[in-house]
Amino acid sequence: MLSNHFQNGIETAKLVWSRLPNADDGDADEVGVSKKIDGSSVESLDYEVVENHAYREEQAQRGKLHVGYYVVVKWFFALLIGIGTGLAAIFINISVENFAGWKYSLTFSIIQKSYIAGFVVYMLINLVLVYSSTYIITQFAPAAAGSGIPEIKGYLNGVDTHGILLFRTLIGKIFGSIGSVGGGLALGKEGPLVHIGACIASLLGQVTCGCAAGVAAAFRAPVGGVLFALEEVTSWWRSQLMWRVFFTSAIVAVVVRTAMGWCKSGKCGHFGSGGFIIWDVSGLESELFFSSHIIASVCAFLSFLTNDLFSGQEDYSFEELLPMAVIGVIGGLLGALFNQLTIYITYWRRNYLHKKGNRVKIIEVCLISLVTSIISFGLPLFRSCSPCPESDPDSGIECPRPPGTYGNYVNMNFNFSLRRVGELAGVKLCGFWTLRWLETTGDLGGQDDHELPMKGDKRTEAPKVTWGLGAKLEKVSTRNTRRLMLTGDQGGKRFIGNCLIKQGCHVFKWRIMRSLPRVCLFKLDKVVKIGILRGIAFYCGKDKEYNDLATIFFNTQDDAIRNLFSAKTIHEYSAQSLLTFLVMFYTLAVVTFGTAVPAGQFVPGIMIGSTYGRLVGMFVVSFYKKLNIEEGTYALLGAASFLGGSMRMTVSLCVIMVEITNNLTLLPLIMLVLLISKAVGDAFNEGLYEEQARLRGIPLLESRPKNEMRKMKAKEAFGNQKVVYFPRVVKVADVVSILKSNNHNGFPVIDSKSGETLVIGLMLRSHLLVLLQSKVDFQHSPLPSDSRGGSLPIRHNFSEFVKPASSKGLSIHDIHLGPDDLEMYIDLAPFVNRSPYIVPEDMSLTKVYNLFRQLGLRHIFVVPRASRVIGMITRKDLLIEDNEDPATVELQSTSV
Ligand code: ATP
Ligand code: MG
């Protein structure tokens, strides 16, 4: 019986410890996960508030001001996290875009003379970037490898992975990502950005905010970020946290928007032409972005619920639902296969390849970089060029929005009203037009067909008015709520453009129209010159030709995705090219996953998904000839389905996809494919992050207990293990030997008074180490310090007991005590957590699990059935007047 052990005091305890595994063995077996676990690096986190004497004293001393101060500090930190993550994202994007832009323009200029020299330069630049990345990871910050999401997920589930949130990991992740993404590997920077956000946030004690900020920065999807944190990474969620996370994401959105606005006019080098994933943006002014975004979202949502729910369906017909469901199934299958293959490869790598040391890791990554360069440069050589899609002959633009172009420099004259352009085009203009300029470049992008005429207008009647790319937009002003005026610079010439807002919440100012269609018309005179080319003229003799495979292979990923999503014309890509890309890129993504570089799976997932989505789209086009089908839409659905099939997220992915494409009409379809792909994927294996967490030995507690637990009782969970505990006053030498003899982190403390034994609380190892190191609480007498009628001494601040967010902290082996110290005693009473969680021994394990998981606990005492009841608490006893101390709540969420 437990109480018997207590009575025997410390001598018994020593006997018990000798039966426990040796400290050096690690505790892999103890945590009951698997032998693969590196036990020394897996410890839980203490989220629970330690209600010890120091804490209670501090609480008693706190005034209202103190509480307010805590709240303000929390929000201020949330602000800093938003700014920090936003800036980190911008830095990474600017660097990647500049490296990539510089690499492509150099290669492009060299291949005009020699393909071989071009290839060598391209390959070497990639190699140097990738080498720098893997060097940083292997030599400086090993914890920065991979996406980091499984580890953060584990952290927020209560498992501390060594080094995951250190400052050096943050630095390694930032610079490592620049190298690996800039070096053209089949991986993305979005997962690492989540980790970067979490690292920044952990410096300020709010990891969840950082995760959301990372997603918000990576995709410019603030709401998606909040939902990602809620759905994917956190295990405990409170409404206060939701507000702060929401606030942080909003700050990120503003920071990113502002910085991009600043970069618009070419101040950031190549940056501005691609970068942040977003395939449809509006020209909102940055400072007004946030407030207007919220109103616009609400507005758009309402209109979506009312008219657009029905009118939006004009964009797809009932017959298309079947092929879309097929995309969902393919996504589920390919996603599950991706997870399975990465499990095998990661397992093999860890057990064979990576055991051979860092050099092998570096060689491996360099080889993969080499193969990636050869494939991305070499494969397009086998494709012949095709002529650019035809456009309005009047516009004079041969390639209005060809895949891969970076901008056609055109001479524009925008002084036309809607009616005037309609007259010129010889068509009666009505319905809706979408103004779509790529804000990153200041380019005026191509018209967005799938948001074109929605009411009263048949699509076939739409005039083919095209506007040029490459113009620097300088100012957008509004004459009234229905008319915009654009002014800007086009190759040294001024232009003015008129846009009419025709639909949506036009009672508001145009600024809130972010996701709503608006009208914008231009007339283009003639093409002056074709601008920077990416892929379009690659390997092609003439300007008017393009190589479809090169536009996706020999390109930055963001631009490749933009091309794959383009809905301008049909059949921009041949089935053969898409299939080649799919097979090669899928293989590269699987092989690259798990190497010693920071690597995210979002963008590779989108690339893979949009490729087979477009393939399905092509078949649908030839099958349903009469329907107005756009391959770009299928590409988008394909991307959603692959991510759903691999990562198994639904709500957050759905919102992220809507936010990055800015297209609410497709929402029901995205939901459909996500649900199907998740269901199909779940039939085979777990989500990518769960699988990877398990493989890395992170013992995640899932949200639901296992069925078998219903039949088990609490006492069956720990078997015959004897409890290791401390008496209230304990000799320093005993503390040291006890701590050395086991790896436990929590110990019951018992007080024996006049033959009666009382469990007075829980003592944490980390707190004992603080006491041993500081020595101030050592006493000569083996009697309790308050035994002569005095009160408990407080020589420590509560802050001394708060463990650093994620670190190994002190170890017993770091503490050196002299022989005199060892003969002293410590009274543990002031330092124990007096309110540990306690369950009766025959409570079902399901209940224990739920209690443990939902409260984020680390230790629970199991006790015999209680002998007495001294009261009963019901709901009514908890409905106390509003004198709750918010600081308590705040504190509990300190590191979450
Ligand atoms: P965590 O590893 O989750 O951070 P911990 O380090 O305190 O918590 P471990 O020592 O790793 O806990 O737990 C391993 C096993 O040891 C568990 O099965 C648990 O029941 C048991 N255990 C933990 N603390 C004690 C203790 N004070 N006395 C006896 N057994 C313990
Ligand atoms: Mg442990």
Side-chain angles (χ1 to χ4, degrees):
M1 283 275 94
L2 205 64
S3 53
N4 293 341
H5 297 304
F6 287 165
Q7 279 157 14
N8 296 334
I10 202 145
E11 298 306 323
T12 319
K14 273 185 183 163
L15 278 173
V16 174
W17 296 321
S18 61
R19 279 179 239 150
L20 286 172
N22 190 301
D24 295 334
D25 295 345
D27 53 3
D29 293 341
E30 294 169 65
V31 281
V33 198
S34 86
K35 300 253 185 213
K36 280 175 269 168
I37 292 175
D38 174 12
S40 59
S41 64
V42 178
E43 285 296 351
S44 302
L45 292 154
D46 290 301
Y47 284 130
E48 200 197 330
V49 172
V50 176
E51 288 187 357
N52 60 20
H53 192 61
Y55 171 79
R56 288 188 172 167
E57 286 292 320
E58 196 177 282
Q59 289 293 307
Q61 281 166 13
R62 278 186 182 181
K64 275 234 151 71
L65 215 62
H66 208 96
V67 173
Y69 168 76
Y70 258 96
V71 175
V72 171
V73 165
K74 278 270 157 193
W75 283 88
F76 180 64
F77 282 177
L79 175 83
L80 291 184
I81 293 167
I83 296 176
T85 311
L87 291 179
I90 289 158
F91 176 70
I92 293 177
N93 272 284
I94 290 182
S95 313
V96 167
E97 284 293 305
N98 275 304
F99 279 128
W102 179 70
K103 174 177 80 184
Y104 283 114
S105 40
L106 187 70
T107 312
F108 193 71
S109 63
I110 296 178
I111 56 172
Q112 310 295 334
K113 293 168 197 129
S114 156
Y115 279 131
I116 293 175
F119 169 69
V120 171
V121 168
Y122 176 72
M123 183 202 73
L124 282 179
I125 297 174
N126 278 343
L127 202 62
V128 168
L129 286 170
V130 169
Y131 177 80
S132 68
S133 169
T134 179
Y135 186 82
I136 291 170
I137 298 305
T138 48
Q139 309 297 322
F140 176 73
S147 76
I149 295 180
E151 287 85 354
I152 302 298
K153 199 174 153 87
Y155 183 86
L156 292 175
N157 192 265
V159 184
D160 189 4
T161 312
H162 182 46
I164 194 70
L165 293 173
L166 295 182
F167 185 67
R168 66 163 44 210
T169 307
L170 170 66
I171 300 296
K173 200 96 191 179
I174 292 178
F175 288 97
S177 301
I178 294 172
S180 62
V181 180
L185 290 179
L187 42 81
K189 56 187 177 298
E190 288 64 30
L193 263 172
V194 174
H195 190 178
I196 288 168
C199 287
I200 293 174
S202 94
L203 298 174
L204 302 167
Q206 311 188 55
V207 174
T208 308
C209 287
C211 292
V215 173
F219 297 103
R220 286 214 276 158
V223 184
V226 176
L227 290 175
F228 176 80
L230 171 66
E231 185 182 1
E232 191 53 32
V233 284
T234 55
S235 303
W236 309 293
W237 190 259
R238 289 171 302 275
S239 52
Q240 305 98 313
L241 188 62
M242 166 82 102
W243 289 116
R244 260 203 317 275
V245 169
F246 191 63
F247 173 67
T248 316
S249 299
I251 297 295
V252 171
V254 174
V255 169
V256 169
R257 205 32 100 113
T258 312
M260 291 182 70
W262 189 76
C263 282
K264 238 190 229 176
S265 45
K267 289 183 193 128
C268 309
H270 284 278
F271 176 71
S273 312
F276 289 96
I277 303 181
I278 191 128
W279 295 293
D280 189 357
V281 290
S282 66
L284 303 183
E285 286 175 10
S286 52
E287 67 273 20
L288 286 163
F289 169 68
F290 178 51
S291 57
S292 59
H293 180 63
I294 291 181
I295 304 169
S297 307
V298 172
C299 193
F301 182 63
L302 288 178
S303 70
F304 170 72
L305 280 185
T306 51
N307 327 325
D308 290 0
L309 191 62
F310 307 104
S311 60
Q313 285 188 0
E314 285 174 21
D315 266 11
Y316 50 89
S317 54
F318 189 70
E319 293 101 306
E320 285 181 74
L321 290 181
L322 183 67
M324 286 169 183
V326 170
I327 290 187
V329 175
I330 299 177
L333 293 175
L334 287 184
L337 180 68
F338 184 86
N339 293 3
Q340 206 58 41
L341 291 176
T342 49
I343 290 173
Y344 292 140
I345 293 194
T346 312
Y347 187 75
W348 173 78
R349 255 194 196 115
R350 237 210 359 234
N351 289 319
Y352 303 103
L353 202 64
H354 287 184
K355 274 199 167 152
K356 295 180 183 147
N358 282 344
R359 189 180 293 183
V360 174
K361 288 185 191 174
I362 295 179
I363 294 174
E364 181 198 20
V365 178
C366 291
L367 277 178
I368 292 177
S369 164
L370 219 69
V371 173
T372 311
S373 298
I374 292 172
I375 290 178
S376 59
F377 192 95
L379 274 186
L381 280 171
F382 296 100
R383 286 287 308 156
S384 52
C385 297
S386 357
C388 290
E390 278 298 310
S391 74
D392 181 15
D394 289 344
S395 75
I397 296 180
E398 285 85 359
C399 296
R401 188 164 167 70
T405 41
Y406 235 46
N408 293 340
Y409 283 79
V410 288
N411 189 8
M412 289 186 287
N413 173 7
F414 285 131
N415 274 320
F416 292 105
S417 71
L418 174 68
R419 194 183 303 147
R420 177 86 182 109
V421 174
E423 279 167 22
L424 281 175
V427 184
K428 193 169 159 261
L429 266 179
C430 54
F432 311 104
W433 286 78
T434 303
L435 161 66
R436 172 174 147 153
W437 64 76
L438 301 179
E439 205 187 46
T440 48
T441 48
D443 286 356
L444 294 175
Q447 65 200 49
D448 193 0
D449 275 0
H450 49 249
E451 282 187 36
L452 280 183
M454 284 159 68
K455 273 186 196 153
D457 225 4
K458 284 193 191 123
R459 183 168 300 184
T460 43
E461 286 176 18
K464 286 192 174 165
V465 177
T466 312
W467 49 87
L469 307 165
K472 296 270 181 297
L473 192 67
E474 286 171 357
K475 195 172 157 208
V476 180
S477 53
T478 168
R479 287 182 180 164
N480 55 45
T481 53
R482 291 166 63 90
R483 186 178 285 270
L484 305 184
M485 218 168 98
L486 319 176
T487 37
D489 176 80
Q490 177 58 61
K493 296 189 174 122
R494 310 288 306 157
F495 73 79
I496 301 174
N498 272 327
C499 292
L500 218 70
I501 299 165
K502 283 274 286 184
Q503 191 254 349
C505 310
H506 53 253
V507 285
F508 296 100
K509 289 211 160 176
W510 65 269
R511 288 195 181 93
I512 64 161
M513 305 288 293
R514 182 168 196 259
S515 53
L516 298 174
R518 65 207 72 156
V519 182
C520 193
L521 297 148
F522 312 103
K523 175 79 176 127
L524 309 172
D525 284 341
K526 62 175 174 53
V527 175
V528 174
K529 89 179 215 243
I530 304 272
I532 311 164
L533 299 172
R534 278 196 183 172
I536 173 171
F538 187 65
Y539 307 126
C540 301
K542 300 175 217 148
D543 270 357
K544 293 173 198 168
E545 288 191 334
Y546 73 104
N547 180 323
D548 62 350
L549 200 51
T551 63
I552 35 179
F553 248 139
F554 190 70
N555 210 340
T556 60
Q557 289 170 349
D558 289 351
D559 283 326
I561 293 172
R562 207 167 273 137
N563 293 336
L564 283 167
F565 279 10
S566 75
K568 173 68 189 158
T569 47
I570 54 168
H571 291 330
E572 282 166 348
Y573 294 96
S574 67
Q576 201 187 354
S577 295
L578 290 176
L579 211 60
T580 315
F581 180 77
L582 178 62
V583 173
M584 295 320 278
F585 196 80
Y586 193 93
T587 316
L588 282 177
V590 168
V591 174
T592 314
F593 183 95
T595 48
V597 284
Q601 275 69 54
F602 273 106
V603 161
I606 292 175
M607 302 266 284
I608 293 168
S610 49
T611 314
Y612 68 72
R614 231 183 142 95
L615 264 172
V616 173
M618 284 178 71
F619 286 109
V620 178
V621 168
S622 43
F623 198 71
Y624 301 120
K625 284 210 173 64
K626 285 194 195 126
L627 298 177
N628 232 323
I629 289 162
E630 280 149 4
E631 291 169 16
T633 307
Y634 282 79
L636 172 72
L637 295 178
S641 74
F642 186 80
L643 293 179
S646 166
M647 292 169 188
R648 313 286 158 81
M649 294 185 270
T650 47
V651 185
S652 49
L653 254 183
C654 185
V655 173
I656 291 174
M657 291 314 281
V658 170
E659 282 190 286
I660 57 181
T661 53
N662 225 351
N663 194 342
L664 266 179
T665 327
L666 295 177
L667 185 65
L669 299 180
I670 296 177
M671 288 165 79
L672 176 81
V673 292
L674 275 174
L675 284 172
I676 295 177
S677 62
K678 180 177 158 56
V680 172
D682 279 344
F684 293 96
N685 47 30
E686 276 187 286
L688 183 71
Y689 298 134
E690 284 82 13
E691 295 281 14
Q692 289 299 319
R694 176 160 340 130
L695 220 62
R696 280 163 217 201
I698 301 171
L700 292 180
L701 287 182
E702 291 161 18
S703 52
R704 280 167 59 89
K706 293 264 180 287
N707 278 342
E708 304 87 74
M709 288 188 178
R710 285 200 200 137
K711 290 177 236 144
M712 292 173 73
K713 300 210 169 112
K715 63 178 172 194
E716 291 171 47
F718 51 86
N720 295 328
Q721 217 159 24
K722 299 283 189 298
V723 180
V724 181
Y725 59 90
F726 287 106
R728 176 177 164 175
V729 183
V730 59
K731 202 172 174 188
V732 173
D734 291 334
V735 176
V736 173
S737 68
I738 291 166
L739 291 184
K740 279 189 178 160
S741 64
N742 67 76
N743 275 331
H744 302 323
N745 284 285
F747 306 91
V749 176
I750 56 148
D751 194 5
S752 316
K753 269 189 208 156
S754 55
E756 202 189 328
T757 312
L758 204 66
V759 183
I760 60 166
L762 170 77
M763 191 71 206
L764 290 180
R765 170 183 286 263
S766 56
H767 293 188
L768 281 168
L769 295 176
V770 170
L771 298 180
L772 290 182
Q773 200 185 36
S774 74
K775 300 182 191 172
V776 286
D777 291 287
F778 290 0
Q779 60 184 44
H780 292 285
S781 144
L783 293 172
S785 47
D786 57 351
S787 59
R788 280 147 302 202
S791 61
L792 292 172
I794 320 156
R795 299 192 198 90
H796 291 271
N797 281 333
F798 181 64
S799 56
E800 285 178 60
F801 293 116
V802 180
K803 237 180 98 182
S806 170
S807 72
K808 289 253 95 175
L810 271 178
S811 148
I812 183 67
H813 303 286
D814 303 333
I815 291 172
H816 304 287
L817 296 163
D820 291 347
D821 295 329
L822 293 174
E823 288 307 308
M824 307 272 267
Y825 292 85
I826 318 180
D827 179 3
L828 299 179
F831 312 106
V832 293
N833 179 358
R834 289 186 169 262
S835 51
Y837 286 89
I838 295 174
V839 298
E841 58 185 335
D842 52 358
M843 184 187 259
S844 81
L845 205 55
T846 314
K847 271 193 176 183
V848 178
Y849 186 98
N850 287 333
L851 183 73
F852 197 94
R853 171 75 166 60
Q854 282 164 19
L855 295 178
L857 303 181
R858 190 181 187 186
H859 300 104
I860 292 187
F861 288 176
V862 181
V863 297
R865 199 146 268 294
S867 57
R868 293 194 302 142
V869 179
I870 61 155
M872 177 85 89
I873 292 186
T874 68
R875 177 182 295 261
K876 288 159 204 85
D877 307 303
L878 301 176
L879 296 173
I880 298 172
E881 279 280 292
D882 188 19
N883 57 356
E884 176 208 37
D885 179 358
T888 317
V889 182
E890 292 291 314
L891 243 152
Q892 282 173 330
S893 58
T894 299
S895 38
V896 182

